[in-house]
Coordinates of all heavy atoms in Angstrom, one line a residue:
M1 N 4.7 20.2 -2.1 CA 5.7 19.5 -2.9 C 5.3 19.5 -4.4 O 4.2 19.1 -4.7 CB 5.8 18.0 -2.4 CG 6.7 17.2 -3.1 SD 6.7 15.5 -2.5 CE 7.9 14.8 -3.5
E2 N 6.2 19.9 -5.2 CA 6.0 19.9 -6.6 C 6.7 18.6 -7.2 O 7.8 18.3 -6.9 CB 6.7 21.1 -7.2 CG 6.2 21.4 -8.6 CD 6.6 22.8 -9.0 OE1 6.4 23.7 -8.2 OE2 7.0 22.9 -10.2
I3 N 5.9 18.0 -8.1 CA 6.4 16.8 -8.8 C 6.8 17.1 -10.2 O 6.0 17.6 -11.0 CB 5.3 15.7 -8.7 CG1 5.0 15.3 -7.3 CG2 5.7 14.5 -9.5 CD1 3.9 14.3 -7.1
D4 N 8.0 16.8 -10.5 CA 8.5 17.1 -11.9 C 8.1 15.9 -12.8 O 7.5 14.9 -12.4 CB 10.0 17.3 -11.9 CG 10.8 16.1 -11.5 OD1 10.2 15.0 -11.3 OD2 12.0 16.2 -11.3
A5 N 8.3 16.1 -14.1 CA 7.9 15.1 -15.1 C 8.5 13.7 -14.9 O 7.9 12.7 -15.1 CB 8.2 15.6 -16.5
L6 N 9.8 13.7 -14.6 CA 10.5 12.4 -14.4 C 9.9 11.7 -13.2 O 9.6 10.4 -13.2 CB 12.0 12.6 -14.2 CG 12.8 11.3 -14.0 CD1 12.6 10.4 -15.1 CD2 14.2 11.6 -13.7
T7 N 9.6 12.4 -12.1 CA 9.0 11.8 -10.9 C 7.6 11.2 -11.2 O 7.2 10.1 -10.8 CB 8.9 12.8 -9.8 OG1 10.2 13.3 -9.5 CG2 8.3 12.2 -8.5
L8 N 6.8 12.0 -12.0 CA 5.5 11.6 -12.4 C 5.6 10.3 -13.2 O 4.8 9.4 -13.1 CB 4.8 12.7 -13.1 CG 3.3 12.4 -13.5 CD1 2.4 12.1 -12.3 CD2 2.8 13.6 -14.3
L9 N 6.5 10.3 -14.1 CA 6.7 9.1 -15.0 C 7.1 7.9 -14.2 O 6.5 6.8 -14.4 CB 7.8 9.4 -16.0 CG 8.1 8.2 -17.0 CD1 6.9 7.9 -17.8 CD2 9.3 8.6 -17.9
M10 N 7.9 8.1 -13.2 CA 8.3 7.0 -12.3 C 7.1 6.5 -11.5 O 6.9 5.2 -11.4 CB 9.4 7.4 -11.3 CG 10.7 7.6 -12.0 SD 12.1 8.2 -11.0 CE 11.6 8.3 -9.3
L11 N 6.2 7.3 -11.1 CA 5.0 6.9 -10.4 C 4.1 6.2 -11.3 O 3.4 5.2 -10.9 CB 4.3 8.1 -9.8 CG 4.9 8.8 -8.5 CD1 4.2 10.1 -8.2 CD2 4.9 7.8 -7.4
L12 N 4.0 6.7 -12.6 CA 3.1 6.1 -13.5 C 3.5 4.7 -14.0 O 2.8 3.9 -14.4 CB 2.9 7.0 -14.8 CG 2.1 8.2 -14.5 CD1 2.1 9.1 -15.8 CD2 0.7 7.9 -14.1
V13 N 4.8 4.4 -13.8 CA 5.4 3.1 -14.0 C 5.3 2.2 -12.8 O 4.9 1.0 -12.8 CB 6.8 3.1 -14.5 CG1 7.5 1.8 -14.6 CG2 6.9 3.8 -15.9
A14 N 5.6 2.7 -11.6 CA 5.7 2.0 -10.4 C 4.3 1.5 -9.9 O 4.2 0.3 -9.5 CB 6.4 2.8 -9.3
V15 N 3.3 2.4 -10.0 CA 2.0 2.0 -9.4 C 1.4 0.8 -10.2 O 1.0 -0.2 -9.6 CB 1.1 3.2 -9.3 CG1 -0.4 2.8 -9.0 CG2 1.6 4.2 -8.3
P16 N 1.2 0.9 -11.5 CA 0.7 -0.2 -12.2 C 1.5 -1.5 -12.1 O 1.0 -2.6 -12.0 CB 0.6 0.2 -13.7 CG 0.6 1.7 -13.7 CD 1.4 2.0 -12.4
A17 N 2.8 -1.4 -12.1 CA 3.7 -2.5 -11.9 C 3.5 -3.2 -10.5 O 3.4 -4.4 -10.4 CB 5.2 -2.1 -12.0
A18 N 3.3 -2.4 -9.5 CA 3.0 -2.9 -8.2 C 1.7 -3.6 -8.1 O 1.5 -4.7 -7.5 CB 3.1 -1.8 -7.1
F19 N 0.7 -3.0 -8.7 CA -0.7 -3.6 -8.7 C -0.7 -4.9 -9.5 O -1.3 -5.9 -9.1 CB -1.7 -2.6 -9.3 CG -2.1 -1.5 -8.4 CD1 -2.9 -0.5 -8.9 CD2 -1.7 -1.5 -7.1 CE1 -3.4 0.5 -8.1 CE2 -2.1 -0.4 -6.3 CZ -2.9 0.5 -6.8
T20 N 0.0 -5.0 -10.6 CA 0.1 -6.2 -11.4 C 0.8 -7.3 -10.6 O 0.3 -8.4 -10.5 CB 0.8 -6.0 -12.7 OG1 0.2 -4.9 -13.4 CG2 0.9 -7.2 -13.5
L21 N 1.9 -7.0 -10.0 CA 2.6 -8.0 -9.2 C 1.8 -8.4 -8.0 O 1.8 -9.5 -7.6 CB 4.0 -7.4 -8.8 CG 5.0 -8.4 -8.2 CD1 5.2 -9.6 -9.0 CD2 6.3 -7.8 -7.9
S22 N 1.2 -7.4 -7.4 CA 0.3 -7.7 -6.2 C -0.8 -8.6 -6.6 O -1.1 -9.6 -5.8 CB -0.2 -6.4 -5.6 OG -1.1 -6.7 -4.5
S23 N -1.4 -8.4 -7.7 CA -2.6 -9.3 -8.1 C -2.1 -10.7 -8.5 O -2.7 -11.7 -8.2 CB -3.3 -8.7 -9.3 OG -3.9 -7.5 -9.0
A24 N -0.9 -10.8 -9.1 CA -0.4 -12.1 -9.5 C 0.3 -12.9 -8.4 O 0.1 -14.1 -8.3 CB 0.6 -11.9 -10.6
A25 N 1.0 -12.2 -7.5 CA 1.8 -12.9 -6.5 C 1.5 -12.4 -5.1 O 2.0 -13.1 -4.2 CB 3.3 -12.8 -6.8
G26 N 0.9 -11.3 -4.9 CA 0.5 -10.8 -3.6 C 1.6 -10.0 -2.9 O 1.5 -9.8 -1.7
L27 N 2.6 -9.6 -3.6 CA 3.7 -8.9 -3.0 C 4.2 -7.7 -3.7 O 5.3 -7.1 -3.4 CB 4.9 -9.9 -2.7 CG 5.3 -10.8 -3.9 CD1 6.2 -10.1 -4.9 CD2 6.0 -12.0 -3.3
G28 N 3.5 -7.1 -4.6 CA 3.9 -5.9 -5.3 C 3.9 -4.7 -4.5 O 4.8 -3.8 -4.7
G29 N 3.0 -4.6 -3.5 CA 3.0 -3.4 -2.7 C 4.3 -3.3 -1.8 O 4.9 -2.2 -1.7
S30 N 4.7 -4.4 -1.2 CA 5.9 -4.3 -0.4 C 7.2 -4.2 -1.2 O 8.1 -3.6 -0.7 CB 5.9 -5.5 0.6 OG 5.9 -6.7 -0.2
L31 N 7.2 -4.8 -2.3 CA 8.5 -4.8 -3.1 C 8.6 -3.6 -4.0 O 9.7 -3.1 -4.2 CB 8.5 -6.0 -4.0 CG 8.8 -7.3 -3.3 CD1 8.9 -8.5 -4.4 CD2 10.1 -7.3 -2.6
I32 N 7.5 -3.0 -4.5 CA 7.6 -1.9 -5.4 C 7.0 -0.6 -4.9 O 7.6 0.4 -4.9 CB 7.0 -2.3 -6.8 CG1 7.7 -3.5 -7.4 CG2 7.0 -1.1 -7.8 CD1 7.0 -4.0 -8.7
L33 N 5.8 -0.7 -4.5 CA 5.0 0.5 -4.2 C 5.5 1.3 -3.0 O 5.7 2.5 -3.1 CB 3.5 0.2 -4.1 CG 2.6 1.3 -4.1 CD1 2.7 2.1 -5.5 CD2 1.1 0.9 -3.9
V34 N 5.6 0.6 -1.9 CA 6.0 1.3 -0.7 C 7.4 1.9 -0.8 O 7.6 3.1 -0.5 CB 6.0 0.4 0.6 CG1 6.5 1.0 1.8 CG2 4.5 -0.1 0.8
P35 N 8.4 1.2 -1.3 CA 9.7 1.8 -1.4 C 9.7 3.0 -2.4 O 10.4 4.0 -2.2 CB 10.7 0.7 -1.9 CG 10.0 -0.6 -1.5 CD 8.5 -0.3 -1.5
S36 N 9.0 2.8 -3.5 CA 8.9 3.9 -4.6 C 8.3 5.1 -4.0 O 8.9 6.2 -4.1 CB 8.2 3.4 -5.8 OG 8.8 2.3 -6.4
L37 N 7.1 5.0 -3.4 CA 6.5 6.2 -2.9 C 7.2 6.8 -1.7 O 7.2 8.0 -1.6 CB 5.0 5.8 -2.5 CG 4.1 5.4 -3.6 CD1 2.7 5.1 -3.1 CD2 4.0 6.6 -4.6
A38 N 7.8 5.9 -0.9 CA 8.6 6.5 0.2 C 9.8 7.3 -0.3 O 10.1 8.4 0.3 CB 9.1 5.3 1.2
A39 N 10.4 6.8 -1.3 CA 11.6 7.5 -1.9 C 11.2 8.8 -2.5 O 11.9 9.9 -2.5 CB 12.3 6.7 -2.9
I40 N 10.0 8.8 -3.2 CA 9.5 10.0 -3.9 C 8.9 11.0 -3.0 O 9.1 12.2 -3.1 CB 8.6 9.6 -5.1 CG1 9.4 8.8 -6.1 CG2 7.9 10.8 -5.7 CD1 8.5 8.0 -7.1
L41 N 8.0 10.6 -2.1 CA 7.2 11.5 -1.3 C 7.7 11.7 0.1 O 7.2 12.6 0.8 CB 5.7 11.0 -1.3 CG 5.0 10.8 -2.6 CD1 3.7 10.1 -2.4 CD2 4.9 12.1 -3.3
G42 N 8.6 10.9 0.6 CA 9.0 10.9 2.0 C 8.4 9.7 2.6 O 7.4 9.1 2.1
T43 N 9.0 9.2 3.7 CA 8.6 7.9 4.2 C 7.2 7.9 4.7 O 6.4 7.0 4.3 CB 9.6 7.5 5.4 OG1 10.9 7.6 4.9 CG2 9.3 6.1 5.9
K44 N 6.8 8.8 5.6 CA 5.4 8.7 6.2 C 4.4 8.9 5.1 O 3.4 8.2 5.1 CB 5.3 9.7 7.3 CG 6.0 9.3 8.6 CD 5.6 10.2 9.7 CE 6.2 9.8 11.0 NZ 5.8 10.6 12.1
E45 N 4.6 9.9 4.2 CA 3.6 10.2 3.2 C 3.5 9.0 2.2 O 2.4 8.6 1.8 CB 3.9 11.5 2.5 CG 3.8 12.7 3.3 CD 5.1 13.0 4.2 OE1 6.0 12.2 4.1 OE2 5.1 14.0 4.9
G46 N 4.7 8.4 1.9 CA 4.7 7.3 0.9 C 4.0 6.1 1.4 O 3.3 5.4 0.7
V47 N 4.3 5.8 2.7 CA 3.7 4.6 3.3 C 2.2 4.8 3.4 O 1.4 3.9 3.1 CB 4.3 4.3 4.7 CG1 3.5 3.3 5.5 CG2 5.7 3.9 4.6
A48 N 1.7 6.0 3.8 CA 0.3 6.3 3.9 C -0.4 6.2 2.5 O -1.5 5.5 2.4 CB 0.1 7.6 4.5
L49 N 0.2 6.7 1.5 CA -0.4 6.7 0.2 C -0.4 5.3 -0.4 O -1.4 4.8 -1.0 CB 0.3 7.6 -0.8 CG -0.3 7.7 -2.2 CD1 -1.8 8.1 -2.2 CD2 0.5 8.7 -3.1
A50 N 0.7 4.5 -0.1 CA 0.7 3.1 -0.6 C -0.4 2.3 0.1 O -1.0 1.5 -0.6 CB 2.1 2.5 -0.3
A51 N -0.6 2.5 1.4 CA -1.7 1.8 2.1 C -3.0 2.1 1.4 O -3.8 1.2 1.2 CB -1.7 2.2 3.6
L52 N -3.3 3.4 1.1 CA -4.5 3.7 0.5 C -4.7 3.1 -0.9 O -5.7 2.6 -1.2 CB -4.6 5.3 0.4 CG -5.9 5.8 -0.2 CD1 -7.1 5.5 0.6 CD2 -5.8 7.3 -0.3
L53 N -3.6 3.2 -1.7 CA -3.7 2.6 -3.0 C -3.9 1.1 -3.0 O -4.6 0.5 -3.8 CB -2.4 3.0 -3.8 CG -2.3 4.4 -4.2 CD1 -0.9 4.7 -4.8 CD2 -3.4 4.8 -5.2
L54 N -3.2 0.4 -2.1 CA -3.3 -1.0 -2.0 C -4.7 -1.4 -1.5 O -5.2 -2.5 -1.9 CB -2.2 -1.6 -1.1 CG -0.8 -1.5 -1.8 CD1 0.3 -1.8 -0.7 CD2 -0.7 -2.4 -2.9
A55 N -5.2 -0.6 -0.6 CA -6.6 -0.9 -0.1 C -7.6 -0.8 -1.3 O -8.4 -1.7 -1.5 CB -7.0 0.0 1.0
A56 N -7.4 0.2 -2.1 CA -8.3 0.4 -3.3 C -8.1 -0.8 -4.3 O -9.0 -1.3 -4.9 CB -8.0 1.7 -4.0
N57 N -6.8 -1.2 -4.4 CA -6.5 -2.4 -5.3 C -7.2 -3.7 -4.8 O -7.7 -4.5 -5.5 CB -5.0 -2.6 -5.4 CG -4.6 -3.6 -6.4 OD1 -5.3 -3.8 -7.5 ND2 -3.6 -4.4 -6.1
N58 N -7.2 -3.8 -3.5 CA -7.8 -5.0 -2.9 C -9.4 -5.0 -3.0 O -10.0 -6.0 -3.2 CB -7.5 -5.1 -1.4 CG -6.0 -5.6 -1.2 OD1 -5.5 -6.2 -2.1 ND2 -5.4 -5.3 -0.1
V59 N -10.0 -3.8 -3.0 CA -11.4 -3.7 -3.2 C -11.7 -4.1 -4.7 O -12.7 -4.8 -4.9 CB -11.9 -2.2 -2.9 CG1 -13.3 -2.0 -3.4 CG2 -11.8 -2.0 -1.4
A60 N -10.9 -3.7 -5.6 CA -11.0 -4.1 -7.0 C -10.9 -5.6 -7.1 O -11.7 -6.2 -7.9 CB -10.0 -3.4 -7.9
K61 N -10.0 -6.2 -6.4 CA -9.8 -7.6 -6.5 C -11.0 -8.4 -5.9 O -11.4 -9.4 -6.4 CB -8.6 -8.1 -5.7 CG -7.3 -7.8 -6.5 CD -6.1 -8.5 -5.8 CE -5.4 -7.5 -5.0 NZ -4.1 -8.0 -4.4
L62 N -11.7 -7.8 -4.9 CA -12.9 -8.3 -4.4 C -14.0 -8.5 -5.5 O -14.6 -9.5 -5.6 CB -13.5 -7.5 -3.3 CG -12.9 -7.6 -1.9 CD1 -13.5 -6.6 -1.0 CD2 -13.1 -9.0 -1.4
G63 N -14.1 -7.5 -6.3 CA -15.0 -7.6 -7.4 C -14.6 -8.6 -8.4 O -15.5 -9.4 -8.9
A64 N -13.3 -8.8 -8.7 CA -12.9 -9.7 -9.7 C -13.0 -11.2 -9.2 O -13.4 -12.1 -9.9 CB -11.4 -9.5 -10.0
Y65 N -12.9 -11.4 -7.9 CA -12.9 -12.8 -7.3 C -14.2 -13.0 -6.5 O -14.3 -14.0 -5.8 CB -11.7 -13.0 -6.4 CG -10.4 -12.8 -7.1 CD1 -9.4 -11.9 -6.6 CD2 -10.1 -13.5 -8.3 CE1 -8.2 -11.8 -7.2 CE2 -8.9 -13.3 -8.9 CZ -7.9 -12.4 -8.3 OH -6.7 -12.3 -9.0
R66 N -15.2 -12.2 -6.7 CA -16.4 -12.3 -5.8 C -17.1 -13.7 -5.9 O -17.7 -14.1 -5.0 CB -17.4 -11.2 -6.2 CG -18.0 -11.3 -7.5 CD -18.9 -10.1 -7.9 NE -19.3 -10.1 -9.2 CZ -18.7 -9.7 -10.3 NH1 -17.4 -9.3 -10.1 NH2 -19.2 -9.8 -11.5
R67 N -17.0 -14.4 -7.0 CA -17.7 -15.7 -7.2 C -17.0 -16.8 -6.4 O -17.6 -17.8 -6.1 CB -17.9 -16.0 -8.6 CG -18.9 -15.1 -9.3 CD -19.3 -15.6 -10.7 NE -20.4 -14.9 -11.2 CZ -20.3 -13.9 -12.1 NH1 -19.1 -13.5 -12.4 NH2 -21.3 -13.2 -12.5
T68 N -15.7 -16.7 -6.2 CA -14.9 -17.7 -5.6 C -14.5 -17.4 -4.2 O -13.8 -18.2 -3.5 CB -13.7 -18.1 -6.4 OG1 -12.9 -16.9 -6.6 CG2 -14.1 -18.6 -7.8
L69 N -14.8 -16.2 -3.7 CA -14.4 -15.8 -2.4 C -15.3 -16.3 -1.3 O -16.5 -16.2 -1.3 CB -14.4 -14.2 -2.4 CG -13.8 -13.5 -1.2 CD1 -12.3 -13.7 -1.2 CD2 -14.2 -12.1 -1.2
P70 N -14.7 -16.9 -0.3 CA -15.4 -17.4 0.9 C -15.8 -16.1 1.8 O -14.9 -15.6 2.5 CB -14.5 -18.3 1.6 CG -13.1 -18.0 1.2 CD -13.3 -17.4 -0.2
I71 N -17.0 -15.7 1.7 CA -17.4 -14.4 2.3 C -17.1 -14.3 3.8 O -16.6 -13.4 4.3 CB -18.8 -14.0 1.9 CG1 -19.0 -13.9 0.4 CG2 -19.3 -12.8 2.7 CD1 -18.2 -12.7 -0.2
R72 N -17.5 -15.4 4.5 CA -17.4 -15.4 5.9 C -15.9 -15.2 6.4 O -15.6 -14.4 7.2 CB -18.0 -16.6 6.5 CG -18.1 -16.6 8.0 CD -18.9 -17.7 8.5 NE -20.3 -17.5 8.1 CZ -21.4 -18.1 8.6 NH1 -21.2 -19.0 9.5 NH2 -22.6 -17.7 8.2
A73 N -15.0 -16.0 5.7 CA -13.6 -15.8 6.0 C -13.1 -14.5 5.6 O -12.3 -13.9 6.4 CB -12.8 -16.9 5.3
A74 N -13.5 -14.0 4.5 CA -13.1 -12.6 4.0 C -13.5 -11.5 5.0 O -12.7 -10.6 5.3 CB -13.6 -12.4 2.6
V75 N -14.7 -11.6 5.5 CA -15.1 -10.6 6.5 C -14.3 -10.7 7.8 O -13.9 -9.6 8.3 CB -16.6 -10.8 6.8 CG1 -17.1 -10.0 8.0 CG2 -17.5 -10.5 5.6
M76 N -14.0 -11.8 8.3 CA -13.1 -11.9 9.5 C -11.7 -11.4 9.2 O -11.2 -10.7 10.0 CB -13.0 -13.4 9.9 CG -14.4 -14.0 10.4 SD -15.1 -13.0 11.7 CE -13.9 -13.1 13.0
I77 N -11.2 -11.7 8.1 CA -9.9 -11.2 7.7 C -9.9 -9.6 7.6 O -9.0 -8.9 8.1 CB -9.3 -11.8 6.4 CG1 -9.0 -13.3 6.7 CG2 -8.1 -11.1 5.9 CD1 -8.7 -14.1 5.4
A78 N -11.0 -9.1 6.9 CA -11.1 -7.7 6.7 C -11.2 -7.0 8.1 O -10.6 -5.9 8.2 CB -12.3 -7.4 5.9
L79 N -12.0 -7.5 9.0 CA -12.1 -6.9 10.3 C -10.8 -6.8 11.0 O -10.4 -5.8 11.7 CB -13.2 -7.6 11.1 CG -14.6 -7.4 10.6 CD1 -15.5 -8.3 11.4 CD2 -15.0 -6.0 10.7
T80 N -10.0 -7.9 11.0 CA -8.7 -8.0 11.6 C -7.7 -7.0 11.0 O -7.0 -6.3 11.7 CB -8.2 -9.4 11.5 OG1 -9.1 -10.3 12.1 CG2 -6.9 -9.6 12.3
V81 N -7.8 -7.0 9.6 CA -6.9 -6.0 8.9 C -7.2 -4.6 9.3 O -6.3 -3.8 9.5 CB -6.9 -6.3 7.4 CG1 -6.3 -5.2 6.6 CG2 -6.3 -7.6 7.1
M82 N -8.5 -4.3 9.4 CA -8.9 -2.9 9.7 C -8.4 -2.5 11.1 O -7.9 -1.4 11.3 CB -10.4 -2.7 9.6 CG -10.9 -2.6 8.2 SD -12.6 -2.2 8.1 CE -13.3 -3.7 7.8
A83 N -8.5 -3.4 12.0 CA -8.0 -3.1 13.4 C -6.5 -2.9 13.4 O -6.0 -2.0 14.0 CB -8.4 -4.3 14.3
G84 N -5.8 -3.8 12.7 CA -4.3 -3.7 12.6 C -3.9 -2.4 11.9 O -2.9 -1.8 12.3
A85 N -4.6 -2.1 10.9 CA -4.3 -0.8 10.1 C -4.5 0.4 11.0 O -3.7 1.3 11.0 CB -5.2 -0.7 8.9
A86 N -5.6 0.4 11.8 CA -5.8 1.5 12.7 C -4.7 1.7 13.7 O -4.2 2.8 14.0 CB -7.2 1.4 13.4
I87 N -4.3 0.6 14.3 CA -3.2 0.6 15.3 C -1.9 1.0 14.6 O -1.2 1.9 15.1 CB -3.1 -0.8 16.0 CG1 -4.3 -1.1 16.8 CG2 -1.8 -0.9 16.8 CD1 -4.4 -2.5 17.3
G88 N -1.6 0.4 13.5 CA -0.4 0.8 12.7 C -0.3 2.2 12.3 O 0.7 2.9 12.4
A89 N -1.5 2.8 11.9 CA -1.5 4.2 11.5 C -1.3 5.1 12.7 O -0.5 6.1 12.6 CB -2.8 4.5 10.8
G90 N -1.9 4.7 13.8 CA -1.7 5.5 15.0 C -0.2 5.5 15.4 O 0.4 6.5 15.8
L91 N 0.4 4.4 15.3 CA 1.9 4.2 15.7 C 2.7 5.0 14.7 O 3.7 5.7 15.1 CB 2.3 2.8 15.8 CG 1.7 1.9 16.9 CD1 2.1 0.5 16.7 CD2 2.2 2.5 18.2
M92 N 2.4 4.9 13.4 CA 3.2 5.6 12.4 C 3.2 7.1 12.6 O 4.2 7.8 12.5 CB 2.8 5.2 11.0 CG 3.8 5.8 10.0 SD 3.4 5.3 8.3 CE 2.1 6.4 7.9
V93 N 2.0 7.7 12.9 CA 1.8 9.1 13.1 C 2.7 9.6 14.3 O 3.3 10.7 14.2 CB 0.3 9.5 13.2 CG1 0.2 10.9 13.7 CG2 -0.4 9.2 12.0
R94 N 2.7 8.8 15.3 CA 3.4 9.2 16.5 C 4.9 8.9 16.5 O 5.7 9.6 17.2 CB 2.8 8.5 17.7 CG 1.4 9.0 18.1 CD 0.8 8.2 19.2 NE -0.5 8.6 19.5 CZ -1.6 8.3 18.8 NH1 -1.5 7.5 17.7 NH2 -2.8 8.7 19.1
A95 N 5.4 8.0 15.6 CA 6.8 7.6 15.6 C 7.6 8.7 14.8 O 7.1 9.3 13.9 CB 6.9 6.3 14.8
P96 N 8.8 8.9 15.2 CA 9.7 9.8 14.5 C 9.9 9.3 13.1 O 10.0 8.0 12.8 CB 11.0 9.7 15.3 CG 10.7 9.2 16.6 CD 9.5 8.3 16.4
E97 N 10.1 10.2 12.1 CA 10.3 9.8 10.7 C 11.5 8.8 10.6 O 11.4 7.9 9.8 CB 10.5 11.0 9.9 CG 10.7 10.7 8.4 CD 9.6 11.3 7.5 OE1 8.8 12.1 7.9 OE2 9.6 10.9 6.3
S98 N 12.5 9.0 11.3 CA 13.7 8.2 11.2 C 13.4 6.7 11.5 O 13.9 5.8 10.9 CB 14.9 8.7 12.0 OG 14.5 8.7 13.4
W99 N 12.5 6.5 12.5 CA 12.1 5.2 12.9 C 11.3 4.5 11.8 O 11.5 3.3 11.5 CB 11.3 5.2 14.2 CG 12.0 5.5 15.4 CD1 13.3 6.1 15.5 CD2 11.6 5.4 16.7 NE1 13.6 6.3 16.8 CE2 12.6 5.9 17.6 CE3 10.4 4.9 17.3 CZ2 12.4 5.9 19.0 CZ3 10.2 4.9 18.7 CH2 11.2 5.4 19.5
V100 N 10.4 5.3 11.2 CA 9.5 4.7 10.1 C 10.4 4.4 8.9 O 10.3 3.3 8.3 CB 8.4 5.7 9.7 CG1 7.6 5.2 8.6 CG2 7.5 6.0 10.9
T101 N 11.4 5.3 8.6 CA 12.3 5.0 7.5 C 13.1 3.7 7.8 O 13.3 2.9 6.9 CB 13.3 6.2 7.3 OG1 12.5 7.4 7.1 CG2 14.2 6.0 6.2
A102 N 13.6 3.6 9.0 CA 14.4 2.4 9.3 C 13.5 1.1 9.2 O 14.0 0.1 8.6 CB 14.9 2.5 10.7
V103 N 12.3 1.1 9.6 CA 11.4 0.0 9.4 C 11.1 -0.3 8.0 O 11.1 -1.5 7.6 CB 10.1 0.2 10.2 CG1 9.1 -0.9 9.9 CG2 10.4 0.2 11.7
V104 N 10.9 0.7 7.2 CA 10.6 0.5 5.7 C 11.8 -0.1 5.1 O 11.7 -1.0 4.3 CB 10.2 1.8 5.0 CG1 10.2 1.7 3.5 CG2 8.8 2.3 5.5
I105 N 13.0 0.4 5.4 CA 14.2 -0.2 4.8 C 14.5 -1.6 5.3 O 14.8 -2.5 4.5 CB 15.4 0.7 5.2 CG1 15.3 2.1 4.4 CG2 16.7 0.0 4.8 CD1 16.3 3.1 4.9
A106 N 14.2 -1.9 6.5 CA 14.4 -3.2 7.1 C 13.5 -4.2 6.5 O 13.8 -5.4 6.3 CB 14.3 -3.2 8.6
A107 N 12.2 -3.8 6.2 CA 11.2 -4.7 5.7 C 11.5 -4.9 4.2 O 11.3 -5.9 3.7 CB 9.8 -4.1 5.8

């Protein structure tokens, strides 16, 4: 897939905007990043890349909030999220693209 200049510009605006909103309110990924990447790259590819980018953003937030983060609770949440992500990724790979698109639009 070849990305033209306008598409690249849209990505360069959408990704930082999503990260900023995600850091401030916790919902930038679902409101901006997933729909933007799904529209630009295709649903399955967009959702997969958004998940990777949001995971990286969350790792960066761990560094920023490390002094106030309750580590024991964070570890339990991280383990649960990893299990859910593995199950969700497996389901997404097996699901028809039209189903994944319908879920992204509905969410």
Side-chain angles (χ1 to χ4, degrees):
M1 174 180 182
E2 195 166 317
I3 297 179
D4 61 11
L6 180 60
T7 302
L8 182 60
L9 179 64
M10 290 177 3
L11 286 172
L12 290 173
V13 170
V15 171
F19 283 174
T20 301
L21 189 56
S22 177
S23 293
L27 45 79
S30 59
L31 286 181
I32 298 173
L33 194 61
V34 173
S36 298
L37 292 178
I40 293 167
L41 302 174
T43 305
K44 286 187 175 186
E45 294 84 357
V47 170
L49 182 56
L52 180 63
L53 290 172
L54 290 168
N57 187 38
N58 286 335
V59 169
K61 285 190 262 184
L62 280 174
Y65 302 127
R66 68 186 174 278
R67 290 192 171 96
T68 59
L69 188 68
I71 297 297
R72 190 169 288 195
V75 168
M76 293 306 296
I77 291 169
L79 291 173
T80 305
V81 167
M82 284 189 259
I87 293 167
L91 290 172
M92 187 178 78
V93 167
R94 289 174 183 80
E97 180 120 9
S98 60
W99 291 13
V100 177
T101 302
V103 170
V104 168
I105 290 170

